[in-house]
Amino acid sequence: MDIFIQQLINGLVLGSMYALVALGYTMVYGIINLINFAHGEVLMVGALVSWTVVTQLEGAGLPGWLLLLIALAVAMVACMALNFVIEKLAYRPLRNAPRLAPLITAMGVSLLLQTLAMIIWKPDYKPFPILLPDEPYEVMGATINVVQVLIIGVAAATMAGLMALIHGTPLGRAMRATAENPRVAQLMGVRPDRIISATFVIGAALAALAGVMWAANYGSVQHTMGFLPGLKAFTAAVFGGIGNLPGAMVGGILLGLIEALGAGYIGDLTGGLLGSNYQDIFAFSVLILVLVFRPQGLLGERVADRA
């Protein structure tokens, strides 16, 4: 039972980070039908920028929580500016191109960001300083620390705030109108280009938040760190229903739980043949099963392709 509770906690922490990144995928796809495969690299840039800020200010005598807050703010601004530029230069000129063109462009942007990050920050792993108390607390035989509690709480609050933004503000209504029919929305006074840019910017802020959480939780950053979380967050978005915001949240949490529980019990399930380092099997097995049996995702609906 202790292992089960511990893996549930680990799954909630992991799933919270997946959900934040998955929201960026699903928001962009919902509006312009684009899978932004560079989104994981935005997470990576956020983590590396926060590491730079923390290491530069570490000797300033600031409290750890304030240092983390400053690093998060700088990382979010940097990622928002980066995604704004990416959308304007790489995706907007291909808005009316065949769907394969922006998909290949997204992969190219992903590789470009990885290479630039390797040049700027070098390829070695960098330890992320411990900024918050790391004493574990016992919960029903399992342990959880302050960073993990903060990740779950901040992710839940952020996702609730995003839903309030989408459903209760003029920007959210404009985003939903653009997703439904950009031409009609434009006739109603909505400016689709601005709304699409705003969507990329909001998604970048969520990715930066997830990147700082990832760095604080796992204690290291590196230029390739965004690839696998980005791929799994895409899996979560498909699992929940790509283009569906609640689906992305549910998909992220469920994927984190499946992966964590799988890592805890994979040894027993395979008679000791596989260890916890094979936990990625579960994430991509979920993707295959969803694509085969319910390609629209758990909360998605079958819809006709746009003309």
Side-chain angles (χ1 to χ4, degrees):
M1 180 58 76
D2 291 354
I3 294 177
F4 179 75
I5 299 297
Q6 185 64 63
Q7 294 306 110
L8 279 181
I9 292 172
N10 294 342
L12 285 174
V13 172
L14 188 59
S16 296
M17 294 185 285
Y18 286 162
L20 288 174
V21 184
L23 285 168
Y25 277 111
T26 209
M27 287 172 65
V28 170
Y29 182 85
I31 289 186
I32 59 173
N33 279 8
L34 168 70
I35 301 297
N36 180 18
F37 279 117
H39 199 57
E41 275 56 55
V42 177
L43 177 151
M44 172 268 296
V45 170
L48 285 169
V49 168
S50 68
W51 173 83
T52 302
V53 173
V54 167
T55 52
Q56 291 296 317
L57 298 180
E58 202 171 10
L62 298 173
W65 65 267
L66 181 58
L67 193 54
L68 186 63
L69 198 60
I70 294 172
L72 174 61
V74 175
M76 291 178 76
V77 171
C79 289
M80 289 162 73
L82 174 64
N83 234 22
F84 178 82
V85 172
I86 289 173
E87 189 277 328
K88 192 173 182 64
L89 298 183
Y91 298 145
R92 187 175 297 183
L94 301 174
R95 190 77 51 79
N96 298 315
R99 291 187 183 180
L100 189 59
L103 182 64
I104 294 173
T105 300
M107 294 178 181
V109 172
S110 172
L111 292 174
L112 176 63
L113 290 178
Q114 280 194 33
T115 303
L116 290 176
M118 181 179 66
I119 294 171
I120 295 170
W121 283 285
K122 309 305 177 188
D124 55 305
Y125 279 89
K126 301 159 187 62
F128 195 87
I130 298 173
L131 301 175
L132 299 176
D134 60 346
E135 295 84 3
Y137 299 95
E138 188 169 327
V139 179
M140 300 175 65
T143 59
I144 188 170
N145 59 36
V146 172
V147 171
Q148 291 174 321
V149 172
L150 191 63
I151 287 173
I152 295 172
V154 169
T158 301
M159 289 186 279
L162 179 63
M163 293 303 294
L165 171 70
I166 297 299
H167 293 284
T169 66
L171 174 60
R173 288 192 292 273
M175 291 171 69
R176 287 184 284 125
T178 304
E180 184 69 27
N181 193 315
R183 293 180 181 176
V184 174
Q186 189 170 18
L187 292 175
M188 296 294 105
V190 175
R191 302 185 65 175
D193 284 345
R194 287 190 177 182
I195 299 304
I196 292 168
S197 293
T199 303
F200 272 83
V201 166
I202 293 171
L206 298 175
L209 177 59
V212 175
M213 288 178 173
W214 197 279
N217 188 50
Y218 292 107
S220 67
V221 293
Q222 199 244 4
H223 74 283
T224 61
M225 64 176 286
F227 175 74
L228 203 53
L231 198 55
K232 290 181 180 178
F234 169 67
T235 301
V238 174
F239 185 25
I242 191 76
N244 185 299
L245 291 179
M249 299 177 197
V250 172
I253 297 298
L254 287 179
L255 187 65
L257 290 171
I258 290 169
E259 190 173 326
L261 290 172
Y265 292 100
I266 190 172
D268 296 335
L269 292 173
T270 61
L273 179 64
L274 301 178
S276 60
N277 54 316
Y278 286 88
Q279 65 186 32
D280 295 340
I281 291 174
F282 294 92
F284 297 113
S285 296
V286 166
L287 177 60
I288 293 170
L289 291 172
V290 169
L291 290 176
V292 170
F293 294 106
R294 190 174 172 82
Q296 71 270 32
L298 294 179
L299 302 183
E301 299 178 359
R302 288 189 178 275
V303 294
D305 289 339
R306 289 178 184 167

